[in-house]
Amino acid sequence: MIALLIIVVLLALLLQYLAQRRGLRGLEATLSFSAPLVEPGAQFDLILHLTNRNLAFFPFLRVVIRLPGDIAVDAPPNQLRSDNRGGQYLSVTTWLSPKQQLSQHIPVSASARGRYLVQGLTVYGGDFLGLSEERQSYDQFLEVVVLPKEAAEQDMDRISGGFPGDLSVNRFLYEDPVLTVGYRDYTGREPMKMLSWTQMARTGKLMVKQYDYTLETSVTVILNVACQAEEPEPLVEACYSLARTLCRQLEEQGIQYAFQTNAITAGDFASWQSVSEGLGQRHLLHILEGLGRGLYQPACSCETLLERAVRSSDGTHGLLFITPEADPETLRLAALWADRAGVQLWTLIGQEVSP
């Protein structure tokens, strides 16, 4: 019995020595988000990845992750603590056997639009007897962007003047004689050049060619965030929501659109300030990411924005102008630039939908 006890003690001391000598070598730790773009208030995952590259056993690991204070974490209260800089710390404990890989999903959410950063984590590892603790920090840059909320449909209908429907009705401007899709009976109103002699010989009736239509309508969405109000944030926030819903409606109508804004973005996303004409999910997501990253400060004046937008809108048949407030000078400038371009102007004002 005494011999067995001595063997156990010696084995424990050996494991203690090896644990202290090894430290946290061979341990890798990374973080990721389950999605780069998320809806406000929707739950997504912060994923912790741990990898043990060695044959050693880690009996106790404590991972501490610093998160922004306005991210809600679905974790027990004893795993969270706040700091005096507006952030919070999440503590996760686990263990790793030799050559093991572990991924732990932590549910999180954020209610406010914006860009959220996680810039590293620290792993603490205890020795075999729990007498000491090793520490290792892992630097990495991790971000997630929360998109703006959709504007209410009744608000869009009230302030848009029905322009999505107008654009949809007028999107087919003329028949393209190259795109023949079929034939129909002659009504007496068609010009002689539309008669199809081969079809008349086959059917014995007067037949005319039926052409497809060429899509010509396109618009430029202009988002202005320059605002003179004492509290511009709610008004600009309403504009971000209007821009999101408007772009979604244009996608649903199949109307090609360009995008111009003077908003400054969080992160290296300057290309978003001027997006060329396009259509499709990739085009939409690029604009939506910028709307999520957008700040409340303008990079240039509204007049500069309008001038840039009009000069780059070759072939555009409409300007969809979104602005925070009904400032007479701003509205006058928008009307002036639309008149110079010879295009129709629709204006959406954030002040009309801001709570």
Side-chain angles (χ1 to χ4, degrees):
M1 187 68 180
I2 296 177
L4 180 59
L5 181 59
I6 293 174
I7 292 174
V8 172
V9 171
L10 291 176
L11 182 60
L13 292 174
L14 176 62
L15 292 174
Q16 173 75 359
Y17 170 75
L18 292 176
Q20 289 179 330
R21 183 178 180 182
R22 181 189 68 243
L24 294 176
R25 289 196 299 271
L27 179 66
E28 296 179 0
T30 59
L31 293 169
S32 65
F33 283 118
S34 56
L37 305 176
V38 297
E39 295 290 341
Q43 192 173 87
F44 58 102
D45 288 338
L46 172 66
I47 308 172
L48 170 64
H49 307 272
L50 293 174
T51 303
N52 183 3
R53 298 292 184 187
N54 289 337
L55 295 174
F57 175 67
F58 291 103
F60 176 79
L61 295 172
R62 180 166 61 93
V63 183
V64 178
I65 308 167
R66 188 176 189 276
L67 298 170
D70 41 8
I71 281 188
V73 184
D74 186 5
N78 61 350
Q79 293 184 5
L80 294 169
R81 62 181 178 88
S82 58
D83 64 14
N84 55 9
R85 294 177 294 174
Q88 60 182 330
Y89 289 97
L90 170 67
S91 180
V92 179
T93 58
T94 187
W95 56 272
L96 281 180
S97 59
K99 296 294 183 178
Q100 182 184 3
Q101 293 184 351
L102 175 68
S103 293
Q104 185 165 347
H105 291 244
I106 305 162
V108 296
S109 63
S111 59
R113 179 192 64 84
R115 172 190 184 229
Y116 296 83
L117 297 177
V118 178
Q119 294 181 295
L121 70 159
T122 303
V123 178
Y124 299 86
D127 57 33
F128 185 76
L129 298 179
L131 300 177
S132 63
E133 191 175 56
E134 294 285 339
R135 167 182 169 176
Q136 185 168 329
S137 296
Y138 299 85
D139 294 327
Q140 69 174 110
F141 182 82
L142 182 66
E143 66 176 0
V144 65
V145 176
V146 178
L147 302 178
K149 296 178 180 178
E150 285 263 10
E153 292 292 341
Q154 59 267 28
D155 289 335
M156 290 294 295
D157 293 340
R158 176 169 53 84
I159 68 175
S160 66
F163 64 80
D166 294 340
L167 288 171
S168 181
V169 169
N170 296 319
R171 48 195 298 253
F172 300 113
L173 299 185
Y174 59 86
E175 292 180 315
D176 191 337
V178 177
L179 303 176
T180 303
V181 295
Y183 305 89
R184 55 180 171 82
D185 292 337
Y186 176 67
T187 64
R189 295 188 297 272
E190 295 85 354
M192 292 294 294
K193 65 180 180 180
M194 291 183 62
L195 290 172
S196 173
W197 302 103
T198 56
Q199 291 297 316
M200 288 192 302
R202 181 178 302 173
T203 63
K205 299 187 298 181
L206 291 176
M207 303 290 291
V208 294
K209 298 176 183 178
Q210 185 173 357
Y211 300 129
D212 197 3
Y213 291 83
T214 296
L215 178 64
E216 284 294 319
T217 297
S218 62
V219 296
T220 296
V221 178
I222 305 174
L223 172 61
N224 170 49
V225 300
C227 184
Q228 303 298 322
E230 293 183 3
E231 296 183 1
E233 288 81 5
L235 305 183
V236 176
E237 193 64 39
C239 289
Y240 283 127
S241 293
L242 289 171
R244 175 181 179 175
T245 302
L246 175 58
C247 291
R248 192 253 304 158
Q249 289 180 339
L250 293 173
E251 286 284 340
E252 292 174 351
Q253 298 286 352
I255 300 168
Q256 297 198 55
Y257 58 100
F259 183 82
Q260 297 279 344
T261 184
N262 57 357
I264 298 174
T265 59
D268 186 15
F269 210 68
S271 63
W272 169 74
Q273 292 182 345
S274 182
V275 181
S276 58
E277 183 180 294
L279 194 65
Q281 190 69 8
R282 187 174 180 179
H283 181 70
L284 176 63
L285 287 178
H286 180 67
I287 294 175
L288 293 188
E289 181 175 352
L291 293 175
R293 292 174 178 268
L295 303 178
Y296 300 120
Q297 298 80 27
C300 63
S301 67
C302 179
E303 183 173 11
T304 301
L305 168 65
L306 288 166
E307 180 179 3
R308 185 185 71 198
V310 168
R311 291 190 176 183
S312 63
S313 61
D314 294 338
T316 293
H317 292 78
L319 300 180
L320 307 180
F321 181 56
I322 304 172
T323 190
E325 54 189 347
D327 175 59
E329 179 61 19
T330 299
L331 299 180
R332 185 191 68 82
L333 286 173
L336 176 63
W337 280 104
D339 184 64
R340 289 179 181 178
V343 297
Q344 191 169 356
L345 171 71
W346 291 272
T347 302
L348 287 81
I349 300 173
Q351 193 173 29
E352 297 187 14
V353 299
S354 176

